[in-house]
Amino acid sequence: MNKTISLLGIFLFLSVALTAQEGKDFILTMHKDTLYGKIKLDLKTNILTFEYQGDKVSFKARTIDQFGIFRKGQTHVYKTITNDWNEEIFVEVLVEGTLNLYRYFTSGNALYEKDAVGYRYYLNKENEGYIRVTPRSYKNILQKMVKNKTYLLAQFEDVPMIIQAYNNFVSL
């Protein structure tokens, strides 16, 4: 009984603490420390500038585990992954579960100068390597990853919705 009351108290405390920080940018360091402040993100150089208690500090992708940017009433969560060229880059978290989907914004990156779309997806399945996917080629790759659920591809044109639907089926 005391354990249940203690756990309830902890959850209530955490929910109040998290609500107090709602609507703020945050970073989660590699040491699992969460700091709240204001973030300016430069995706061309993969450098995050964080304003915290009046000081500005810049971070490269390899030094930040995860961060969130609050804009227009929504928090967009980003994390660091290692891409095909062994570079650590910031990607936006779209869906996480059994199958994960991240978006990498390509504007300003010389490798994608002729890219009209402006982004690429990165897929990975349960701690396997990341697969870079173009918006045009995702169906072929997803067919291999969502075996026995290929009808999902016919139902949706939106990649995040396909991944979320797959994760929902897997968790049943």
CSV table of all heavy atoms in Angstrom, one decimal, residues 123-164:
chain,number,residue,atom,x,y,z
A,123,LEU,N,14.7,5.3,-41.8
A,123,LEU,CA,14.0,4.2,-41.2
A,123,LEU,C,14.9,3.3,-40.4
A,123,LEU,O,16.1,3.1,-40.8
A,123,LEU,CB,13.3,3.3,-42.2
A,123,LEU,CG,12.1,3.8,-42.9
A,123,LEU,CD1,11.8,3.0,-44.1
A,123,LEU,CD2,10.9,3.9,-42.0
A,124,ASN,N,14.5,2.8,-39.3
A,124,ASN,CA,15.2,1.7,-38.6
A,124,ASN,C,14.2,0.9,-37.8
A,124,ASN,O,13.2,1.3,-37.4
A,124,ASN,CB,16.4,2.2,-37.8
A,124,ASN,CG,16.2,2.4,-36.4
A,124,ASN,OD1,15.2,3.0,-36.0
A,124,ASN,ND2,17.1,2.0,-35.6
A,125,LYS,N,14.6,-0.4,-37.7
A,125,LYS,CA,13.7,-1.4,-37.1
A,125,LYS,C,14.5,-1.9,-35.9
A,125,LYS,O,15.5,-2.6,-36.0
A,125,LYS,CB,13.4,-2.5,-38.0
A,125,LYS,CG,12.3,-3.4,-37.6
A,125,LYS,CD,11.8,-4.3,-38.7
A,125,LYS,CE,10.6,-5.1,-38.3
A,125,LYS,NZ,10.1,-5.9,-39.4
A,126,GLU,N,14.0,-1.6,-34.7
A,126,GLU,CA,14.5,-2.2,-33.4
A,126,GLU,C,16.1,-2.2,-33.4
A,126,GLU,O,16.7,-3.3,-33.5
A,126,GLU,CB,14.0,-3.6,-33.2
A,126,GLU,CG,12.5,-3.6,-32.9
A,126,GLU,CD,12.0,-5.0,-32.7
A,126,GLU,OE1,12.7,-6.0,-32.8
A,126,GLU,OE2,10.8,-5.1,-32.4
A,127,ASN,N,16.7,-1.1,-33.3
A,127,ASN,CA,18.1,-0.9,-33.1
A,127,ASN,C,19.0,-1.5,-34.2
A,127,ASN,O,20.1,-1.8,-34.0
A,127,ASN,CB,18.6,-1.6,-31.8
A,127,ASN,CG,17.9,-0.8,-30.6
A,127,ASN,OD1,17.7,0.4,-30.7
A,127,ASN,ND2,17.7,-1.6,-29.5
A,128,GLU,N,18.4,-1.7,-35.4
A,128,GLU,CA,19.2,-2.1,-36.6
A,128,GLU,C,19.7,-0.8,-37.1
A,128,GLU,O,19.4,0.3,-36.7
A,128,GLU,CB,18.3,-2.8,-37.6
A,128,GLU,CG,17.8,-4.2,-37.1
A,128,GLU,CD,16.9,-4.9,-38.0
A,128,GLU,OE1,16.8,-4.4,-39.2
A,128,GLU,OE2,16.3,-5.9,-37.7
A,129,GLY,N,20.5,-0.9,-38.2
A,129,GLY,CA,21.1,0.3,-38.8
A,129,GLY,C,20.0,1.2,-39.5
A,129,GLY,O,18.8,0.7,-39.6
A,130,TYR,N,20.3,2.4,-39.8
A,130,TYR,CA,19.4,3.3,-40.4
A,130,TYR,C,19.4,3.1,-41.9
A,130,TYR,O,20.5,3.0,-42.5
A,130,TYR,CB,19.7,4.7,-40.0
A,130,TYR,CG,19.6,5.0,-38.6
A,130,TYR,CD1,20.7,4.9,-37.7
A,130,TYR,CD2,18.3,5.3,-38.0
A,130,TYR,CE1,20.5,5.1,-36.3
A,130,TYR,CE2,18.2,5.6,-36.7
A,130,TYR,CZ,19.3,5.5,-35.8
A,130,TYR,OH,19.1,5.7,-34.5
A,131,ILE,N,18.2,3.2,-42.5
A,131,ILE,CA,18.1,3.1,-44.0
A,131,ILE,C,17.6,4.5,-44.5
A,131,ILE,O,16.6,5.0,-44.0
A,131,ILE,CB,17.1,2.0,-44.4
A,131,ILE,CG1,17.6,0.7,-43.9
A,131,ILE,CG2,16.9,2.0,-45.9
A,131,ILE,CD1,16.5,-0.4,-44.0
A,132,ARG,N,18.4,5.1,-45.3
A,132,ARG,CA,18.0,6.4,-45.9
A,132,ARG,C,17.0,6.1,-47.0
A,132,ARG,O,17.2,5.3,-47.9
A,132,ARG,CB,19.2,7.1,-46.5
A,132,ARG,CG,18.9,8.5,-47.0
A,132,ARG,CD,20.1,9.3,-47.3
A,132,ARG,NE,21.2,8.5,-47.8
A,132,ARG,CZ,21.5,8.5,-49.1
A,132,ARG,NH1,20.8,9.1,-50.0
A,132,ARG,NH2,22.5,7.7,-49.5
A,133,VAL,N,15.9,6.9,-47.0
A,133,VAL,CA,14.8,6.6,-47.9
A,133,VAL,C,14.4,8.0,-48.6
A,133,VAL,O,14.2,8.9,-47.8
A,133,VAL,CB,13.5,6.0,-47.2
A,133,VAL,CG1,12.4,5.7,-48.2
A,133,VAL,CG2,13.9,4.8,-46.4
A,134,THR,N,14.2,8.0,-49.9
A,134,THR,CA,13.7,9.2,-50.5
A,134,THR,C,12.2,9.1,-50.5
A,134,THR,O,11.6,8.1,-50.4
A,134,THR,CB,14.2,9.3,-52.0
A,134,THR,OG1,13.5,8.2,-52.7
A,134,THR,CG2,15.7,9.2,-52.1
A,135,PRO,N,11.6,10.3,-50.6
A,135,PRO,CA,10.1,10.3,-50.6
A,135,PRO,C,9.5,9.5,-51.8
A,135,PRO,O,8.4,9.0,-51.7
A,135,PRO,CB,9.8,11.8,-50.7
A,135,PRO,CG,10.9,12.5,-50.1
A,135,PRO,CD,12.1,11.6,-50.5
A,136,ARG,N,10.3,9.3,-52.8
A,136,ARG,CA,9.9,8.6,-54.0
A,136,ARG,C,10.1,7.1,-53.8
A,136,ARG,O,9.4,6.3,-54.5
A,136,ARG,CB,10.6,9.1,-55.2
A,136,ARG,CG,10.2,10.5,-55.6
A,136,ARG,CD,11.0,11.0,-56.8
A,136,ARG,NE,11.1,12.4,-56.8
A,136,ARG,CZ,12.1,13.1,-56.2
A,136,ARG,NH1,13.0,12.6,-55.6
A,136,ARG,NH2,12.0,14.4,-56.3
A,137,SER,N,11.0,6.6,-53.0
A,137,SER,CA,11.4,5.2,-53.0
A,137,SER,C,10.9,4.5,-51.7
A,137,SER,O,11.2,3.3,-51.5
A,137,SER,CB,12.9,5.0,-53.1
A,137,SER,OG,13.5,5.5,-51.9
A,138,TYR,N,10.2,5.2,-50.9
A,138,TYR,CA,9.9,4.6,-49.6
A,138,TYR,C,9.0,3.4,-49.7
A,138,TYR,O,9.1,2.4,-48.9
A,138,TYR,CB,9.2,5.6,-48.6
A,138,TYR,CG,7.8,6.0,-49.0
A,138,TYR,CD1,6.7,5.2,-48.4
A,138,TYR,CD2,7.5,7.0,-49.8
A,138,TYR,CE1,5.4,5.6,-48.7
A,138,TYR,CE2,6.2,7.3,-50.2
A,138,TYR,CZ,5.1,6.6,-49.6
A,138,TYR,OH,3.9,6.9,-49.9
A,139,LYS,N,8.1,3.3,-50.7
A,139,LYS,CA,7.2,2.2,-50.8
A,139,LYS,C,8.0,0.9,-51.0
A,139,LYS,O,7.7,-0.2,-50.4
A,139,LYS,CB,6.2,2.4,-51.9
A,139,LYS,CG,5.0,3.3,-51.5
A,139,LYS,CD,4.0,3.3,-52.6
A,139,LYS,CE,2.8,4.2,-52.1
A,139,LYS,NZ,1.7,4.2,-53.0
A,140,ASN,N,9.0,0.9,-51.9
A,140,ASN,CA,9.8,-0.3,-52.1
A,140,ASN,C,10.5,-0.8,-50.9
A,140,ASN,O,10.5,-2.0,-50.6
A,140,ASN,CB,10.8,-0.1,-53.2
A,140,ASN,CG,10.2,0.2,-54.6
A,140,ASN,OD1,9.1,-0.2,-54.8
A,140,ASN,ND2,10.9,0.9,-55.4
A,141,ILE,N,11.0,0.1,-50.1
A,141,ILE,CA,11.7,-0.2,-48.9
A,141,ILE,C,10.8,-0.7,-47.8
A,141,ILE,O,11.0,-1.7,-47.1
A,141,ILE,CB,12.6,0.9,-48.4
A,141,ILE,CG1,13.8,1.1,-49.5
A,141,ILE,CG2,13.2,0.7,-47.0
A,141,ILE,CD1,14.6,2.3,-49.3
A,142,LEU,N,9.7,0.0,-47.7
A,142,LEU,CA,8.7,-0.3,-46.7
A,142,LEU,C,8.1,-1.7,-46.9
A,142,LEU,O,7.7,-2.4,-46.0
A,142,LEU,CB,7.6,0.7,-46.6
A,142,LEU,CG,7.9,2.0,-45.8
A,142,LEU,CD1,6.8,3.0,-45.8
A,142,LEU,CD2,8.3,1.6,-44.3
A,143,GLN,N,7.9,-2.1,-48.2
A,143,GLN,CA,7.4,-3.4,-48.5
A,143,GLN,C,8.2,-4.5,-47.9
A,143,GLN,O,7.7,-5.5,-47.4
A,143,GLN,CB,7.3,-3.6,-50.0
A,143,GLN,CG,6.1,-2.9,-50.6
A,143,GLN,CD,6.0,-3.1,-52.1
A,143,GLN,OE1,7.0,-3.3,-52.8
A,143,GLN,NE2,4.8,-2.9,-52.6
A,144,LYS,N,9.5,-4.3,-47.8
A,144,LYS,CA,10.4,-5.3,-47.2
A,144,LYS,C,10.3,-5.3,-45.7
A,144,LYS,O,10.5,-6.3,-45.1
A,144,LYS,CB,11.9,-5.0,-47.7
A,144,LYS,CG,12.1,-5.2,-49.2
A,144,LYS,CD,13.4,-4.8,-49.6
A,144,LYS,CE,13.5,-4.9,-51.1
A,144,LYS,NZ,14.7,-4.2,-51.6
A,145,MET,N,10.1,-4.1,-45.1
A,145,MET,CA,10.1,-4.0,-43.7
A,145,MET,C,8.8,-4.3,-43.0
A,145,MET,O,8.7,-4.7,-41.9
A,145,MET,CB,10.5,-2.5,-43.3
A,145,MET,CG,11.9,-2.2,-43.7
A,145,MET,SD,12.4,-0.6,-43.2
A,145,MET,CE,13.2,-1.0,-41.6
A,146,VAL,N,7.7,-4.1,-43.7
A,146,VAL,CA,6.3,-4.4,-43.1
A,146,VAL,C,5.8,-5.7,-43.7
A,146,VAL,O,4.6,-5.8,-44.1
A,146,VAL,CB,5.4,-3.2,-43.3
A,146,VAL,CG1,5.8,-2.0,-42.6
A,146,VAL,CG2,5.1,-2.9,-44.7
A,147,LYS,N,6.6,-6.7,-43.8
A,147,LYS,CA,6.2,-8.0,-44.3
A,147,LYS,C,4.8,-8.4,-43.7
A,147,LYS,O,4.5,-8.2,-42.6
A,147,LYS,CB,7.2,-9.1,-44.0
A,147,LYS,CG,8.5,-8.8,-44.6
A,147,LYS,CD,9.5,-9.8,-44.1
A,147,LYS,CE,10.9,-9.4,-44.6
A,147,LYS,NZ,12.0,-10.1,-43.9
A,148,ASN,N,4.0,-9.0,-44.6
A,148,ASN,CA,2.6,-9.5,-44.2
A,148,ASN,C,1.7,-8.4,-43.9
A,148,ASN,O,0.5,-8.7,-43.5
A,148,ASN,CB,2.7,-10.5,-43.0
A,148,ASN,CG,3.6,-11.7,-43.3
A,148,ASN,OD1,3.7,-12.1,-44.4
A,148,ASN,ND2,4.3,-12.1,-42.2
A,149,LYS,N,2.0,-7.2,-44.0
A,149,LYS,CA,1.1,-6.0,-43.8
A,149,LYS,C,1.2,-5.1,-45.0
A,149,LYS,O,1.1,-3.9,-44.9
A,149,LYS,CB,1.5,-5.3,-42.5
A,149,LYS,CG,1.5,-6.1,-41.3
A,149,LYS,CD,0.2,-6.1,-40.5
A,149,LYS,CE,0.3,-6.7,-39.2
A,149,LYS,NZ,0.4,-8.2,-39.2
A,150,THR,N,1.5,-5.6,-46.2
A,150,THR,CA,1.7,-4.7,-47.4
A,150,THR,C,0.5,-3.9,-47.7
A,150,THR,O,0.5,-2.9,-48.4
A,150,THR,CB,2.2,-5.5,-48.6
A,150,THR,OG1,1.3,-6.6,-48.8
A,150,THR,CG2,3.6,-6.1,-48.3
A,151,TYR,N,-0.7,-4.4,-47.3
A,151,TYR,CA,-2.0,-3.7,-47.6
A,151,TYR,C,-1.9,-2.3,-47.0
A,151,TYR,O,-2.7,-1.4,-47.4
A,151,TYR,CB,-3.2,-4.5,-47.2
A,151,TYR,CG,-3.2,-4.7,-45.7
A,151,TYR,CD1,-3.8,-3.8,-44.8
A,151,TYR,CD2,-2.6,-5.9,-45.1
A,151,TYR,CE1,-3.8,-4.0,-43.4
A,151,TYR,CE2,-2.7,-6.1,-43.8
A,151,TYR,CZ,-3.3,-5.2,-42.9
A,151,TYR,OH,-3.3,-5.4,-41.6
A,152,LEU,N,-1.1,-2.1,-46.0
A,152,LEU,CA,-1.0,-0.7,-45.4
A,152,LEU,C,-0.5,0.3,-46.4
A,152,LEU,O,-0.9,1.4,-46.4
A,152,LEU,CB,0.0,-0.8,-44.2
A,152,LEU,CG,-0.5,-1.5,-42.9
A,152,LEU,CD1,0.7,-1.6,-41.9
A,152,LEU,CD2,-1.7,-0.8,-42.3
A,153,LEU,N,0.4,-0.2,-47.3
A,153,LEU,CA,1.0,0.7,-48.3
A,153,LEU,C,-0.1,1.2,-49.2
A,153,LEU,O,0.0,2.4,-49.7
A,153,LEU,CB,2.1,0.0,-49.0
A,153,LEU,CG,3.3,-0.4,-48.2
A,153,LEU,CD1,4.3,-1.1,-49.1
A,153,LEU,CD2,3.9,0.8,-47.6
A,154,ALA,N,-1.1,0.4,-49.5
A,154,ALA,CA,-2.1,0.8,-50.5
A,154,ALA,C,-3.1,1.8,-49.8
A,154,ALA,O,-3.8,2.6,-50.5
A,154,ALA,CB,-2.9,-0.4,-51.0
A,155,GLN,N,-3.2,1.8,-48.5
A,155,GLN,CA,-4.2,2.6,-47.8
A,155,GLN,C,-3.7,4.0,-47.5
A,155,GLN,O,-4.5,4.9,-47.4
A,155,GLN,CB,-4.5,1.9,-46.4
A,155,GLN,CG,-5.2,0.6,-46.5
A,155,GLN,CD,-5.5,0.0,-45.2
A,155,GLN,OE1,-5.3,0.7,-44.1
A,155,GLN,NE2,-6.0,-1.2,-45.1
A,156,PHE,N,-2.4,4.2,-47.4
A,156,PHE,CA,-1.9,5.5,-47.0
A,156,PHE,C,-0.9,6.0,-48.0
A,156,PHE,O,-0.1,5.3,-48.5
A,156,PHE,CB,-1.3,5.5,-45.7
A,156,PHE,CG,-2.1,4.9,-44.6
A,156,PHE,CD1,-1.9,3.7,-44.1
A,156,PHE,CD2,-3.2,5.7,-44.1
A,156,PHE,CE1,-2.7,3.2,-43.1
A,156,PHE,CE2,-4.0,5.2,-43.1
A,156,PHE,CZ,-3.8,4.0,-42.6
A,157,GLU,N,-0.9,7.3,-48.2
A,157,GLU,CA,0.2,7.9,-49.0
A,157,GLU,C,1.2,8.6,-48.1
A,157,GLU,O,2.3,9.0,-48.5
A,157,GLU,CB,-0.3,8.9,-50.0
A,157,GLU,CG,-1.0,8.3,-51.2
A,157,GLU,CD,-0.1,7.5,-52.0
A,157,GLU,OE1,1.1,7.9,-52.3
A,157,GLU,OE2,-0.5,6.3,-52.4
A,158,ASP,N,0.8,8.8,-46.9
A,158,ASP,CA,1.6,9.5,-45.9
A,158,ASP,C,2.5,8.5,-45.1
A,158,ASP,O,2.0,7.6,-44.4
A,158,ASP,CB,0.7,10.2,-44.9
A,158,ASP,CG,1.4,11.1,-43.9
A,158,ASP,OD1,2.5,11.5,-44.2
A,158,ASP,OD2,0.8,11.5,-42.9
A,159,VAL,N,3.8,8.6,-45.3
A,159,VAL,CA,4.8,7.7,-44.7
A,159,VAL,C,4.6,7.6,-43.1
A,159,VAL,O,4.5,6.5,-42.6
A,159,VAL,CB,6.2,8.1,-45.1
A,159,VAL,CG1,7.2,7.1,-44.4
A,159,VAL,CG2,6.4,8.0,-46.6
A,160,PRO,N,4.5,8.7,-42.4
A,160,PRO,CA,4.4,8.5,-40.9
A,160,PRO,C,3.1,7.7,-40.6
A,160,PRO,O,3.1,7.0,-39.6
A,160,PRO,CB,4.3,10.0,-40.4
A,160,PRO,CG,5.1,10.8,-41.4
A,160,PRO,CD,4.8,10.1,-42.8
A,161,MET,N,2.0,7.9,-41.3
A,161,MET,CA,0.8,7.2,-41.0
A,161,MET,C,1.0,5.7,-41.2
A,161,MET,O,0.5,4.8,-40.5
A,161,MET,CB,-0.3,7.7,-41.8
A,161,MET,CG,-0.8,9.0,-41.4
A,161,MET,SD,-2.1,9.7,-42.4
A,161,MET,CE,-3.5,8.5,-42.1
A,162,ILE,N,1.8,5.3,-42.2
A,162,ILE,CA,2.1,3.9,-42.5
A,162,ILE,C,2.9,3.3,-41.4
A,162,ILE,O,2.6,2.2,-40.8
A,162,ILE,CB,2.9,3.7,-43.8
A,162,ILE,CG1,2.0,4.1,-45.0
A,162,ILE,CG2,3.4,2.3,-44.0
A,162,ILE,CD1,2.8,4.3,-46.3
A,163,ILE,N,3.9,4.0,-40.9
A,163,ILE,CA,4.8,3.5,-39.8
A,163,ILE,C,3.9,3.4,-38.5
A,163,ILE,O,4.0,2.4,-37.8
A,163,ILE,CB,6.0,4.4,-39.6
A,163,ILE,CG1,6.8,4.6,-40.9
A,163,ILE,CG2,6.8,4.0,-38.4
A,163,ILE,CD1,7.4,3.4,-41.4
A,164,GLN,N,3.1,4.4,-38.2
A,164,GLN,CA,2.3,4.3,-37.0
A,164,GLN,C,1.3,3.2,-37.1
A,164,GLN,O,1.1,2.5,-36.1
A,164,GLN,CB,1.6,5.7,-36.8
A,164,GLN,CG,0.9,5.7,-35.5
A,164,GLN,CD,1.8,5.7,-34.3
A,164,GLN,OE1,2.8,6.4,-34.2
A,164,GLN,NE2,1.6,4.7,-33.4
